[in-house]
Amino acid sequence: MDKIEMLNEIVSKSERIVFFGGAGVSTESGIPDFRSVDGLYNQQWKYPPETILSHTFFIRKPEEFYRFYRAKMICTDAKPNAAHLKLAELEEKGKLTAVVTQNIDGLHQAAGSKKVFELHGSVLRNYCEKCRKFHDVNYIINSEGVPHCECGGIVKPDVVLYEEGLDDDTVNGSVKAISQADTLIIGGTSLNVYPAAGLIRYFKGNSLVIINMSPTQMDSNADLLICDRIGNVFSQINA
């Protein structure tokens, strides 16, 4: 039995699948990741991306933050790929109970997924730091310099920056979903970003599946390990 057949057998026997995904799920939709050879961390900017995308930098140099943010973090032309679409299909058919994602692009919801825990927030949501009014992504795109609300407050993306903590409700929901899953599929992530990657330790189910192009620290724990593009693998799942 080859690995795709094994994956299909696991999926067919599972009733509570949770998918935990990272940047590799979005790269096939044309969104660059941070740590690959062509990722944001290897492009030349006045400051390293880790510095720009920090809470301290946002407070001290908001103009430079937004220059980078508009250029590199907002990808409204991206469309869901085969992985996003299959996950939504698995949820609709009652196989998948939740998606836990480190991505901030909203592509899982665009594909039709309903139960999505966005650990690092979303570029599609923004709020005024003064009056808390919500602003959509177009408000950021169509503004210049530092976007301000009608009340005069600075508008901040609902994205978890470096030095900021994860949302408690999102973490608690993720932990509950993972702990109740009978199958956990990890895809498109190096599992190097904490505290997000630490959530998978709550999995106590039957089958751990890892689909990634490069090795992860959890490979030795996997019941099934597939080194391939996530979209290619998911396109072969018989949901």
Side-chain angles (χ1 to χ4, degrees):
M1 184 183 296
D2 69 16
K3 291 190 174 185
I4 298 299
E5 288 178 311
M6 292 173 64
L7 177 59
N8 273 304
E9 184 172 305
I10 289 172
V11 169
S12 68
K13 291 180 179 179
S14 301
E15 298 178 352
R16 297 183 309 280
I17 300 171
V18 169
F19 178 78
F20 183 96
V25 181
S26 295
T27 52
E28 291 178 51
S29 292
I31 297 177
D33 75 346
F34 274 31
R35 293 174 176 80
S36 69
V37 173
D38 299 317
L40 295 181
Y41 281 22
N42 291 287
Q43 298 178 13
Q44 294 299 312
W45 283 78
K46 186 175 179 180
Y47 303 93
E50 303 100 315
T51 300
I52 298 174
L53 296 173
S54 68
H55 180 81
T56 298
F57 196 91
F58 176 79
I59 298 300
R60 292 180 178 174
K61 296 182 179 291
E63 296 88 354
E64 185 69 11
F65 171 89
Y66 269 108
R67 190 175 74 85
F68 179 88
Y69 185 81
R70 288 190 184 93
K72 293 298 182 182
M73 304 304 291
I74 299 177
C75 303
T76 54
D77 292 336
K79 301 289 187 254
N81 60 55
H84 297 109
L85 296 171
K86 183 60 69 172
L87 286 165
E89 183 183 346
L90 287 169
E91 181 184 27
E92 185 180 359
K93 293 188 175 180
K95 284 281 186 181
L96 182 133
T97 56
V99 169
V100 180
T101 181
Q102 300 172 78
N103 298 330
I104 58 176
D105 48 52
L107 289 179
H108 285 292
Q109 291 92 330
S113 289
K114 302 291 191 294
K115 195 66 170 290
V116 182
F117 295 103
E118 296 174 306
L119 294 173
H120 297 150
S122 172
V123 298
L124 303 183
R125 299 188 302 268
N126 308 274
Y127 63 91
C128 172
E129 293 192 303
K130 185 177 179 181
C131 73
R132 311 305 289 184
K133 180 180 178 180
F134 170 85
H135 297 275
D136 66 14
V137 66
N138 290 322
Y139 193 87
I140 305 298
I141 294 172
N142 296 327
S143 62
E144 294 183 2
V146 181
H148 285 79
C149 180
E150 295 90 337
C151 75
I154 292 178
V155 176
K156 182 182 183 296
D158 189 12
V159 169
V160 179
L161 303 177
Y162 288 100
E163 304 166 348
E164 295 179 343
L166 304 185
D167 176 72
D168 286 342
D169 290 341
T170 303
V171 170
N172 292 336
S174 301
V175 168
K176 182 178 181 181
I178 291 170
S179 64
Q180 294 176 347
D182 56 11
T183 293
L184 177 62
I185 301 177
I186 298 172
T189 174
S190 60
L191 294 176
N192 288 328
V193 177
Y194 283 83
L199 299 181
I200 63 175
R201 71 178 185 273
Y202 291 98
F203 176 64
K204 308 296 181 186
N206 302 321
S207 302
L208 175 63
V209 179
I210 297 179
I211 305 165
N212 202 47
M213 291 296 292
S214 57
T216 79
Q217 58 183 321
M218 290 295 292
D219 286 2
S220 60
N221 298 91
D223 298 289
L224 176 60
L225 182 63
I226 301 177
C227 182
D228 198 352
R229 293 185 300 108
I230 189 83
N232 184 47
V233 174
F234 267 79
S235 66
Q236 299 177 73
I237 292 178
N238 303 318

